[in-house]
């Protein structure tokens, strides 16, 4: 039987998962609320940032044997002028906070999300993530995402983009 996976985002100091998300709204607070409060302001100069998003794939039905080589990629489509979505991965959770407003996330593999495509995905974990009969997050790292907005950006709701997880299941 094939594994079933849902995508969870994490918030708060504990961290608390928001389970089975289908979309992400980049904001300036530590939630996934799908309203238009807490927007990222367009600066007159320089760059403003969203608060970081911490995400993991949750294996809710165990794989036949194991899941390994967990990867992530974007649709590869450039964001609107003045907007960049950065991604990287961390082994530990770092809570989103007001310090994210003016500071870009860091990570050895930090990059514009559009460079990660199906042909060249970001490797979250190359080894075994979880084995039968287990469920949950296994040994994977957090995918971290943050939006940057510079003075060239246009005000308003931006186009949506698609993100994907892939893995090997045996």
């Amino acid at each position: 039987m094939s594994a079933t996976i849902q995508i969870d985002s994490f918030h708060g100091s504990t961290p608390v998962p928001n389970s089975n998300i289908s979309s992400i709204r980049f904001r300036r607070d530590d939630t996934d609320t799908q309203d238009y409060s807490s927007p990222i302001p367009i600066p007159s100069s320089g760059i403003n940032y969203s608060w970081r998003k911490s995400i993991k794939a949750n294996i809710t039905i165990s794989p036949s044997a194991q899941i390994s080589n967990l990867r992530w990629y974007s649709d590869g489509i450039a964001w609107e002028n003045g907007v960049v979505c950065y991604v990287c991965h961390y082994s530990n959770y770092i809570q989103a906070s007001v310090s994210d407003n003016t500071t870009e996330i860091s990570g050895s593999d930090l990059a514009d999300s559009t460079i990660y495509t199906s042909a060249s995905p970001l490797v979250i974990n190359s080894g075994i993530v979880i084995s039968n009969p287990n469920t949950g997050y296994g040994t994977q790292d957090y995918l971290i995402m943050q939006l940057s907005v510079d003075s060239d950006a246009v005000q308003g709701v931006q186009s949506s983009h698609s993100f994907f997880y892939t893995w090997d299941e045996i």
Side-chain angles (χ1 to χ4, degrees):
M1 182 168 157
S2 296
T4 299
I5 294 180
Q6 69 182 29
I7 306 303
D8 294 352
S9 65
F10 293 82
H11 306 281
S13 59
T14 19
V16 176
N18 182 8
S19 297
N20 204 20
I21 61 170
S22 60
S23 63
I24 297 169
R25 186 169 305 273
F26 290 96
R27 307 164 52 100
R28 281 191 140 183
D29 59 16
D30 193 18
T31 72
D32 272 335
T33 306
Q34 297 297 309
D35 63 25
Y36 297 106
S37 63
S38 301
I40 308 159
I42 298 171
S44 56
S45 65
I47 298 174
N48 282 329
Y49 296 94
S50 71
W51 287 20
R52 72 186 65 221
K53 299 293 182 184
S54 298
I55 299 164
K56 281 188 172 185
N58 184 1
I59 296 89
T60 58
I61 294 179
S62 181
S64 298
Q66 66 188 26
I67 289 178
S68 61
N69 198 20
L70 186 63
R71 302 167 307 273
W72 176 95
Y73 63 95
S74 74
D75 57 17
I77 299 169
W79 291 62
E80 287 74 9
N81 191 46
V83 178
V84 176
C85 179
Y86 289 101
V87 297
C88 64
H89 65 88
Y90 294 162
S91 58
N92 298 319
Y93 174 76
I94 299 173
Q95 183 180 3
S97 71
V98 71
S99 65
D100 290 339
N101 288 351
T102 56
T103 305
E104 182 178 88
I105 56 175
S106 62
S108 60
D109 57 356
L110 179 68
D112 179 334
S113 65
T114 61
I115 72 161
Y116 295 113
T117 62
S118 60
S120 182
L122 171 64
V123 176
I124 304 297
N125 285 79
S126 58
I128 297 170
V129 174
I130 202 163
S131 297
N132 184 295
N134 299 304
T135 58
Y137 303 108
T139 61
Q140 71 185 282
D141 288 349
Y142 289 91
L143 172 71
I144 309 299
M145 303 175 77
Q146 184 185 41
L147 215 62
S148 74
V149 176
D150 72 24
S151 57
D152 293 335
V154 176
Q155 185 174 358
V157 176
Q158 307 296 310
S159 300
S160 64
H161 290 265
S162 296
F163 305 115
F164 308 90
Y165 272 98
T166 63
W167 55 88
D168 296 332
E169 183 174 355
I170 57 169

PDB file of all heavy atoms in Angstrom, residues 15 52 54-56 88-94 106-109 123-125 137-144:
ATOM      1  N   PRO A  15       6.734  23.830  18.517  1.00  0.00           N
ATOM      2  CA  PRO A  15       5.820  24.442  17.551  1.00  0.00           C
ATOM      3  C   PRO A  15       4.533  23.628  17.364  1.00  0.00           C
ATOM      4  O   PRO A  15       4.533  22.418  17.532  1.00  0.00           O
ATOM      5  CB  PRO A  15       6.620  24.404  16.261  1.00  0.00           C
ATOM      6  CG  PRO A  15       7.471  23.187  16.396  1.00  0.00           C
ATOM      7  CD  PRO A  15       7.790  23.053  17.863  1.00  0.00           C
ATOM      8  N   ARG A  52       8.888  34.019   8.365  1.00  0.00           N
ATOM      9  CA  ARG A  52       9.222  32.699   7.810  1.00  0.00           C
ATOM     10  C   ARG A  52       8.058  31.712   7.955  1.00  0.00           C
ATOM     11  O   ARG A  52       7.258  31.804   8.869  1.00  0.00           O
ATOM     12  CB  ARG A  52      10.467  32.138   8.478  1.00  0.00           C
ATOM     13  CG  ARG A  52      10.232  31.698   9.909  1.00  0.00           C
ATOM     14  CD  ARG A  52      11.514  31.282  10.624  1.00  0.00           C
ATOM     15  NE  ARG A  52      12.387  32.420  10.770  1.00  0.00           N
ATOM     16  CZ  ARG A  52      13.705  32.376  10.586  1.00  0.00           C
ATOM     17  NH1 ARG A  52      14.291  31.249  10.294  1.00  0.00           N
ATOM     18  NH2 ARG A  52      14.427  33.463  10.710  1.00  0.00           N
ATOM     19  N   SER A  54       7.540  27.560   8.197  1.00  0.00           N
ATOM     20  CA  SER A  54       8.221  26.292   8.463  1.00  0.00           C
ATOM     21  C   SER A  54       7.272  25.157   8.106  1.00  0.00           C
ATOM     22  O   SER A  54       6.164  25.087   8.631  1.00  0.00           O
ATOM     23  CB  SER A  54       8.608  26.204   9.939  1.00  0.00           C
ATOM     24  OG  SER A  54       9.503  27.243  10.278  1.00  0.00           O
ATOM     25  N   ILE A  55       7.715  24.271   7.224  1.00  0.00           N
ATOM     26  CA  ILE A  55       6.820  23.283   6.627  1.00  0.00           C
ATOM     27  C   ILE A  55       7.465  21.898   6.647  1.00  0.00           C
ATOM     28  O   ILE A  55       8.679  21.773   6.461  1.00  0.00           O
ATOM     29  CB  ILE A  55       6.486  23.702   5.177  1.00  0.00           C
ATOM     30  CG1 ILE A  55       5.774  25.060   5.209  1.00  0.00           C
ATOM     31  CG2 ILE A  55       5.679  22.649   4.457  1.00  0.00           C
ATOM     32  CD1 ILE A  55       5.728  25.759   3.899  1.00  0.00           C
ATOM     33  N   LYS A  56       6.632  20.871   6.852  1.00  0.00           N
ATOM     34  CA  LYS A  56       7.073  19.483   6.756  1.00  0.00           C
ATOM     35  C   LYS A  56       5.991  18.642   6.087  1.00  0.00           C
ATOM     36  O   LYS A  56       4.812  18.981   6.159  1.00  0.00           O
ATOM     37  CB  LYS A  56       7.335  18.886   8.141  1.00  0.00           C
ATOM     38  CG  LYS A  56       8.649  19.269   8.764  1.00  0.00           C
ATOM     39  CD  LYS A  56       8.901  18.478  10.029  1.00  0.00           C
ATOM     40  CE  LYS A  56      10.294  18.703  10.547  1.00  0.00           C
ATOM     41  NZ  LYS A  56      10.600  17.851  11.712  1.00  0.00           N
ATOM     42  N   CYS A  88      15.004  27.405   1.973  1.00  0.00           N
ATOM     43  CA  CYS A  88      16.151  26.621   2.436  1.00  0.00           C
ATOM     44  C   CYS A  88      15.595  25.569   3.375  1.00  0.00           C
ATOM     45  O   CYS A  88      14.372  25.444   3.500  1.00  0.00           O
ATOM     46  CB  CYS A  88      17.199  27.487   3.124  1.00  0.00           C
ATOM     47  SG  CYS A  88      16.675  28.302   4.636  1.00  0.00           S
ATOM     48  N   HIS A  89      16.448  24.795   4.016  1.00  0.00           N
ATOM     49  CA  HIS A  89      15.939  23.853   5.011  1.00  0.00           C
ATOM     50  C   HIS A  89      16.812  23.887   6.246  1.00  0.00           C
ATOM     51  O   HIS A  89      17.998  24.197   6.181  1.00  0.00           O
ATOM     52  CB  HIS A  89      15.757  22.443   4.451  1.00  0.00           C
ATOM     53  CG  HIS A  89      17.014  21.745   4.021  1.00  0.00           C
ATOM     54  ND1 HIS A  89      17.773  20.995   4.874  1.00  0.00           N
ATOM     55  CD2 HIS A  89      17.621  21.671   2.825  1.00  0.00           C
ATOM     56  CE1 HIS A  89      18.799  20.490   4.224  1.00  0.00           C
ATOM     57  NE2 HIS A  89      18.729  20.894   2.971  1.00  0.00           N
ATOM     58  N   TYR A  90      16.170  23.636   7.396  1.00  0.00           N
ATOM     59  CA  TYR A  90      16.824  23.606   8.709  1.00  0.00           C
ATOM     60  C   TYR A  90      16.465  22.303   9.395  1.00  0.00           C
ATOM     61  O   TYR A  90      15.335  21.828   9.279  1.00  0.00           O
ATOM     62  CB  TYR A  90      16.298  24.707   9.636  1.00  0.00           C
ATOM     63  CG  TYR A  90      16.573  26.130   9.284  1.00  0.00           C
ATOM     64  CD1 TYR A  90      15.808  27.129   9.873  1.00  0.00           C
ATOM     65  CD2 TYR A  90      17.570  26.525   8.411  1.00  0.00           C
ATOM     66  CE1 TYR A  90      16.032  28.471   9.600  1.00  0.00           C
ATOM     67  CE2 TYR A  90      17.785  27.858   8.126  1.00  0.00           C
ATOM     68  CZ  TYR A  90      17.020  28.831   8.716  1.00  0.00           C
ATOM     69  OH  TYR A  90      17.239  30.149   8.443  1.00  0.00           O
ATOM     70  N   SER A  91      17.391  21.808  10.188  1.00  0.00           N
ATOM     71  CA  SER A  91      17.075  20.622  10.978  1.00  0.00           C
ATOM     72  C   SER A  91      16.235  20.982  12.199  1.00  0.00           C
ATOM     73  O   SER A  91      15.437  20.179  12.662  1.00  0.00           O
ATOM     74  CB  SER A  91      18.353  19.904  11.415  1.00  0.00           C
ATOM     75  OG  SER A  91      19.176  20.771  12.156  1.00  0.00           O
ATOM     76  N   ASN A  92      16.389  22.208  12.703  1.00  0.00           N
ATOM     77  CA  ASN A  92      15.657  22.643  13.900  1.00  0.00           C
ATOM     78  C   ASN A  92      14.614  23.696  13.551  1.00  0.00           C
ATOM     79  O   ASN A  92      14.805  24.486  12.628  1.00  0.00           O
ATOM     80  CB  ASN A  92      16.612  23.234  14.941  1.00  0.00           C
ATOM     81  CG  ASN A  92      17.614  22.218  15.426  1.00  0.00           C
ATOM     82  OD1 ASN A  92      17.262  21.060  15.643  1.00  0.00           O
ATOM     83  ND2 ASN A  92      18.855  22.633  15.568  1.00  0.00           N
ATOM     84  N   TYR A  93      13.562  23.721  14.333  1.00  0.00           N
ATOM     85  CA  TYR A  93      12.501  24.718  14.180  1.00  0.00           C
ATOM     86  C   TYR A  93      12.956  26.054  14.762  1.00  0.00           C
ATOM     87  O   TYR A  93      13.529  26.102  15.848  1.00  0.00           O
ATOM     88  CB  TYR A  93      11.244  24.242  14.915  1.00  0.00           C
ATOM     89  CG  TYR A  93      10.131  25.252  14.945  1.00  0.00           C
ATOM     90  CD1 TYR A  93       9.352  25.489  13.826  1.00  0.00           C
ATOM     91  CD2 TYR A  93       9.864  25.979  16.103  1.00  0.00           C
ATOM     92  CE1 TYR A  93       8.315  26.408  13.850  1.00  0.00           C
ATOM     93  CE2 TYR A  93       8.833  26.900  16.143  1.00  0.00           C
ATOM     94  CZ  TYR A  93       8.068  27.113  15.008  1.00  0.00           C
ATOM     95  OH  TYR A  93       7.050  28.028  15.046  1.00  0.00           O
ATOM     96  N   ILE A  94      12.713  27.137  14.023  1.00  0.00           N
ATOM     97  CA  ILE A  94      12.933  28.500  14.509  1.00  0.00           C
ATOM     98  C   ILE A  94      11.617  29.235  14.336  1.00  0.00           C
ATOM     99  O   ILE A  94      11.112  29.349  13.212  1.00  0.00           O
ATOM    100  CB  ILE A  94      14.055  29.222  13.743  1.00  0.00           C
ATOM    101  CG1 ILE A  94      15.377  28.467  13.916  1.00  0.00           C
ATOM    102  CG2 ILE A  94      14.175  30.669  14.204  1.00  0.00           C
ATOM    103  CD1 ILE A  94      16.512  28.998  13.067  1.00  0.00           C
ATOM    104  N   SER A 106      18.470  32.639   6.761  1.00  0.00           N
ATOM    105  CA  SER A 106      19.794  32.186   6.329  1.00  0.00           C
ATOM    106  C   SER A 106      19.778  30.673   6.223  1.00  0.00           C
ATOM    107  O   SER A 106      18.943  29.996   6.807  1.00  0.00           O
ATOM    108  CB  SER A 106      20.858  32.646   7.321  1.00  0.00           C
ATOM    109  OG  SER A 106      20.620  32.067   8.588  1.00  0.00           O
ATOM    110  N   GLY A 107      20.708  30.167   5.478  1.00  0.00           N
ATOM    111  CA  GLY A 107      20.842  28.730   5.316  1.00  0.00           C
ATOM    112  C   GLY A 107      21.872  28.451   4.240  1.00  0.00           C
ATOM    113  O   GLY A 107      22.018  29.242   3.302  1.00  0.00           O
ATOM    114  N   SER A 108      22.588  27.348   4.362  1.00  0.00           N
ATOM    115  CA  SER A 108      23.646  27.053   3.396  1.00  0.00           C
ATOM    116  C   SER A 108      23.098  26.851   1.985  1.00  0.00           C
ATOM    117  O   SER A 108      23.802  27.059   1.004  1.00  0.00           O
ATOM    118  CB  SER A 108      24.428  25.819   3.833  1.00  0.00           C
ATOM    119  OG  SER A 108      23.575  24.697   3.923  1.00  0.00           O
ATOM    120  N   ASP A 109      21.827  26.474   1.878  1.00  0.00           N
ATOM    121  CA  ASP A 109      21.224  26.256   0.563  1.00  0.00           C
ATOM    122  C   ASP A 109      20.159  27.299   0.223  1.00  0.00           C
ATOM    123  O   ASP A 109      19.328  27.072  -0.645  1.00  0.00           O
ATOM    124  CB  ASP A 109      20.621  24.851   0.487  1.00  0.00           C
ATOM    125  CG  ASP A 109      19.595  24.587   1.586  1.00  0.00           C
ATOM    126  OD1 ASP A 109      19.392  25.451   2.455  1.00  0.00           O
ATOM    127  OD2 ASP A 109      18.998  23.501   1.573  1.00  0.00           O
ATOM    128  N   VAL A 123      16.933  19.140  -2.139  1.00  0.00           N
ATOM    129  CA  VAL A 123      16.918  17.903  -1.366  1.00  0.00           C
ATOM    130  C   VAL A 123      16.703  18.259   0.098  1.00  0.00           C
ATOM    131  O   VAL A 123      17.521  18.945   0.706  1.00  0.00           O
ATOM    132  CB  VAL A 123      18.223  17.102  -1.553  1.00  0.00           C
ATOM    133  CG1 VAL A 123      18.222  15.866  -0.672  1.00  0.00           C
ATOM    134  CG2 VAL A 123      18.418  16.730  -3.013  1.00  0.00           C
ATOM    135  N   ILE A 124      15.569  17.825   0.655  1.00  0.00           N
ATOM    136  CA  ILE A 124      15.275  18.050   2.075  1.00  0.00           C
ATOM    137  C   ILE A 124      16.003  17.009   2.914  1.00  0.00           C
ATOM    138  O   ILE A 124      16.636  17.329   3.909  1.00  0.00           O
ATOM    139  CB  ILE A 124      13.756  17.995   2.337  1.00  0.00           C
ATOM    140  CG1 ILE A 124      13.002  18.999   1.458  1.00  0.00           C
ATOM    141  CG2 ILE A 124      13.455  18.203   3.810  1.00  0.00           C
ATOM    142  CD1 ILE A 124      13.348  20.451   1.711  1.00  0.00           C
ATOM    143  N   ASN A 125      15.892  15.754   2.551  1.00  0.00           N
ATOM    144  CA  ASN A 125      16.615  14.645   3.180  1.00  0.00           C
ATOM    145  C   ASN A 125      16.926  13.615   2.104  1.00  0.00           C
ATOM    146  O   ASN A 125      16.016  13.169   1.406  1.00  0.00           O
ATOM    147  CB  ASN A 125      15.778  13.978   4.280  1.00  0.00           C
ATOM    148  CG  ASN A 125      15.710  14.797   5.540  1.00  0.00           C
ATOM    149  OD1 ASN A 125      14.934  15.749   5.598  1.00  0.00           O
ATOM    150  ND2 ASN A 125      16.499  14.453   6.534  1.00  0.00           N
ATOM    151  N   TYR A 137       6.517  12.600  10.888  1.00  0.00           N
ATOM    152  CA  TYR A 137       7.473  13.404  10.134  1.00  0.00           C
ATOM    153  C   TYR A 137       8.802  12.701   9.904  1.00  0.00           C
ATOM    154  O   TYR A 137       9.590  13.114   9.062  1.00  0.00           O
ATOM    155  CB  TYR A 137       7.716  14.737  10.844  1.00  0.00           C
ATOM    156  CG  TYR A 137       6.433  15.507  11.054  1.00  0.00           C
ATOM    157  CD1 TYR A 137       5.888  15.636  12.320  1.00  0.00           C
ATOM    158  CD2 TYR A 137       5.752  16.076   9.985  1.00  0.00           C
ATOM    159  CE1 TYR A 137       4.697  16.320  12.521  1.00  0.00           C
ATOM    160  CE2 TYR A 137       4.563  16.750  10.163  1.00  0.00           C
ATOM    161  CZ  TYR A 137       4.036  16.874  11.442  1.00  0.00           C
ATOM    162  OH  TYR A 137       2.861  17.542  11.635  1.00  0.00           O
ATOM    163  N   GLY A 138       9.066  11.647  10.659  1.00  0.00           N
ATOM    164  CA  GLY A 138      10.318  10.916  10.488  1.00  0.00           C
ATOM    165  C   GLY A 138      11.519  11.799  10.777  1.00  0.00           C
ATOM    166  O   GLY A 138      11.505  12.600  11.703  1.00  0.00           O
ATOM    167  N   THR A 139      12.547  11.674   9.942  1.00  0.00           N
ATOM    168  CA  THR A 139      13.814  12.375  10.171  1.00  0.00           C
ATOM    169  C   THR A 139      13.996  13.611   9.299  1.00  0.00           C
ATOM    170  O   THR A 139      15.088  14.157   9.227  1.00  0.00           O
ATOM    171  CB  THR A 139      14.993  11.428   9.913  1.00  0.00           C
ATOM    172  OG1 THR A 139      14.932  10.996   8.544  1.00  0.00           O
ATOM    173  CG2 THR A 139      14.965  10.239  10.840  1.00  0.00           C
ATOM    174  N   GLN A 140      12.956  14.060   8.638  1.00  0.00           N
ATOM    175  CA  GLN A 140      13.118  15.164   7.688  1.00  0.00           C
ATOM    176  C   GLN A 140      13.374  16.509   8.354  1.00  0.00           C
ATOM    177  O   GLN A 140      12.994  16.748   9.487  1.00  0.00           O
ATOM    178  CB  GLN A 140      11.891  15.278   6.795  1.00  0.00           C
ATOM    179  CG  GLN A 140      10.667  15.806   7.543  1.00  0.00           C
ATOM    180  CD  GLN A 140       9.434  15.817   6.707  1.00  0.00           C
ATOM    181  OE1 GLN A 140       9.267  16.692   5.878  1.00  0.00           O
ATOM    182  NE2 GLN A 140       8.574  14.824   6.907  1.00  0.00           N
ATOM    183  N   ASP A 141      14.013  17.392   7.600  1.00  0.00           N
ATOM    184  CA  ASP A 141      14.228  18.777   8.017  1.00  0.00           C
ATOM    185  C   ASP A 141      12.976  19.603   7.718  1.00  0.00           C
ATOM    186  O   ASP A 141      12.100  19.184   6.960  1.00  0.00           O
ATOM    187  CB  ASP A 141      15.399  19.399   7.250  1.00  0.00           C
ATOM    188  CG  ASP A 141      16.749  18.847   7.678  1.00  0.00           C
ATOM    189  OD1 ASP A 141      16.821  18.142   8.697  1.00  0.00           O
ATOM    190  OD2 ASP A 141      17.739  19.128   6.979  1.00  0.00           O
ATOM    191  N   TYR A 142      12.937  20.799   8.291  1.00  0.00           N
ATOM    192  CA  TYR A 142      11.897  21.773   7.959  1.00  0.00           C
ATOM    193  C   TYR A 142      12.261  22.474   6.653  1.00  0.00           C
ATOM    194  O   TYR A 142      13.410  22.887   6.466  1.00  0.00           O
ATOM    195  CB  TYR A 142      11.795  22.860   9.035  1.00  0.00           C
ATOM    196  CG  TYR A 142      11.212  22.407  10.334  1.00  0.00           C
ATOM    197  CD1 TYR A 142      12.024  21.934  11.359  1.00  0.00           C
ATOM    198  CD2 TYR A 142       9.841  22.478  10.565  1.00  0.00           C
ATOM    199  CE1 TYR A 142      11.492  21.532  12.563  1.00  0.00           C
ATOM    200  CE2 TYR A 142       9.297  22.066  11.770  1.00  0.00           C
ATOM    201  CZ  TYR A 142      10.126  21.595  12.767  1.00  0.00           C
ATOM    202  OH  TYR A 142       9.598  21.194  13.957  1.00  0.00           O
ATOM    203  N   LEU A 143      11.303  22.619   5.765  1.00  0.00           N
ATOM    204  CA  LEU A 143      11.438  23.512   4.619  1.00  0.00           C
ATOM    205  C   LEU A 143      11.094  24.896   5.137  1.00  0.00           C
ATOM    206  O   LEU A 143      10.046  25.081   5.763  1.00  0.00           O
ATOM    207  CB  LEU A 143      10.478  23.120   3.495  1.00  0.00           C
ATOM    208  CG  LEU A 143      10.410  24.113   2.335  1.00  0.00           C
ATOM    209  CD1 LEU A 143      11.689  24.060   1.519  1.00  0.00           C
ATOM    210  CD2 LEU A 143       9.211  23.830   1.469  1.00  0.00           C
ATOM    211  N   ILE A 144      11.952  25.874   4.903  1.00  0.00           N
ATOM    212  CA  ILE A 144      11.734  27.239   5.365  1.00  0.00           C
ATOM    213  C   ILE A 144      11.525  28.130   4.143  1.00  0.00           C
ATOM    214  O   ILE A 144      12.297  28.067   3.184  1.00  0.00           O
ATOM    215  CB  ILE A 144      12.939  27.757   6.187  1.00  0.00           C
ATOM    216  CG1 ILE A 144      13.327  26.766   7.279  1.00  0.00           C
ATOM    217  CG2 ILE A 144      12.648  29.146   6.741  1.00  0.00           C
ATOM    218  CD1 ILE A 144      12.257  26.492   8.297  1.00  0.00           C
TER     219      ILE A 144
END
